[in-house]
Amino acid sequence: MKKIMQERYSCREFNSKKIDNSVIEEILDLTRLSPSSCGLEPWKFMVVSKENDLKELGQICNDQAQVSGCSHAIIVIARNDLKGGCDFIKAQVDRKPRTPERLQKALDHFAARFDPQTNEELMHYASLQCYIASANMVNIAQSLGVKSCIVAGFDPQKLDKFVSLGEHFKPVLIIALGYSDEIAPSKTRQSLDKIVIYK
Ligand SMILES: Cc1cc2nc3c(=O)[nH]c(=O)nc-3n(C[C@H](O)[C@H](O)[C@H](O)COP(=O)(O)O)c2cc1C
């Protein structure tokens, strides 16, 4: 882990080597183990790898070349269908073995918590979980020798249209993945004494 944290960096120049689908699958399979609030996993991951699609995605990302030039881009998508009547929340809650009474209690708990919230508030809540998964994804990729760049600079309307999953789904980040011949830059970070407070 120490080496992964020290050596991962945001790659902005990928070479033309394609990542094997099995490696992409492994990255996603490990990413899905990420923690999320109440274990709800309010996310989806869209894999983009066709040349034309990556080109279009690069344009949507303000012409960022690391997106159009990567091997695979993973669009991390937040979902806000967390209210009581939604199938997703019912399915998530129903995964653990529970008596019918305890199941209803859990559903009531989530309904009391989420139903009063606006769709925007729920989307923000889901986005936070997506950021955690994304942080894990880039480190998992690094552990498998894959370089990455987290990208939040995009046109939201155009990306919504590109993703087209409907009103309950919102793309929040793009993770560009690939290989590179670049030499990793050295890290610029604040020192510990500037950011840590012992109370
Ligand atoms: C939420 C988020 C959004 C980012 N968006 C972009 C982006 O749109 N384009 C880009 O080149 N880098 C982007 N980055 C990468 C950061 O610039 C980078 O992580 C930071 O400068 C530290 O450098 P390092 O990742 O190489 O250690 C983003 C990073 C994060 C966490």
Side-chain angles (χ1 to χ4, degrees):
M1 193 61 185
K2 189 173 171 182
K3 200 167 144 60
I4 293 165
M5 293 303 290
Q6 285 168 338
E7 294 184 0
R8 183 219 52 85
Y9 71 98
S10 295
C11 178
R12 298 190 176 92
E13 203 177 318
F14 295 104
N15 64 27
S16 58
K17 188 177 166 197
K18 277 293 203 187
I19 304 168
D20 221 75
N21 283 339
S22 64
V23 175
I24 291 294
E25 200 136 303
E26 189 170 1
I27 291 170
L28 293 167
D29 196 35
L30 292 169
T31 298
R32 86 189 161 83
L33 304 179
S34 295
S36 60
S37 173
C38 303
L40 290 175
E41 306 160 59
W43 49 52
K44 269 193 187 282
F45 304 96
M46 184 176 277
V47 182
V48 182
S49 63
K50 292 193 196 92
E51 205 177 321
N52 277 353
D53 289 336
L54 287 171
K55 201 171 154 205
E56 186 181 345
L57 197 55
Q59 285 163 357
I60 291 170
C61 295
N62 312 319
D63 291 321
Q64 297 197 59
Q66 73 275 34
V67 178
S68 48
C70 72
S71 165
H72 290 67
I74 312 295
I75 308 179
V76 184
I77 299 161
R79 62 188 302 160
N80 69 355
D81 47 347
L82 304 175
K83 292 192 177 176
C86 294
D87 290 342
F88 175 70
I89 191 93
K90 283 186 193 143
Q92 292 304 88
V93 173
D94 201 18
R95 292 179 303 170
K96 287 190 180 156
R98 287 187 173 100
T99 61
E101 295 74 36
R102 287 193 75 86
L103 174 65
Q104 192 53 52
K105 211 172 158 203
L107 286 171
D108 291 346
H109 164 80
F110 285 119
R113 178 165 175 190
F114 293 135
D115 287 6
Q117 295 196 36
T118 64
N119 287 340
E120 288 71 29
E121 283 168 337
L122 289 173
M123 201 56 103
H124 175 70
Y125 169 78
S127 303
L128 299 177
Q129 323 307 317
C130 287
Y131 270 59
I132 290 174
S134 300
N136 281 336
M137 191 188 296
V138 293
N139 288 319
I140 291 162
Q142 178 71 23
S143 78
L144 297 171
V146 173
K147 301 278 182 276
S148 63
C149 186
I150 298 176
V151 171
F154 52 74
D155 181 316
Q157 273 92 34
K158 287 185 184 160
L159 189 58
D160 270 350
K161 204 166 159 216
F162 183 88
V163 162
S164 275
L165 286 179
E167 56 165 343
H168 286 306
F169 296 87
K170 190 178 132 203
V172 292
L173 284 175
I174 294 165
I175 315 294
L177 298 171
Y179 297 106
S180 179
D181 305 316
E182 259 180 359
I183 295 169
S186 56
K187 290 266 170 221
T188 315
R189 291 292 189 270
Q190 298 177 77
S191 59
L192 268 188
D193 61 306
K194 291 222 173 78
I195 58 171
V196 178
I197 300 157
Y198 291 98
K199 195 164 154 54

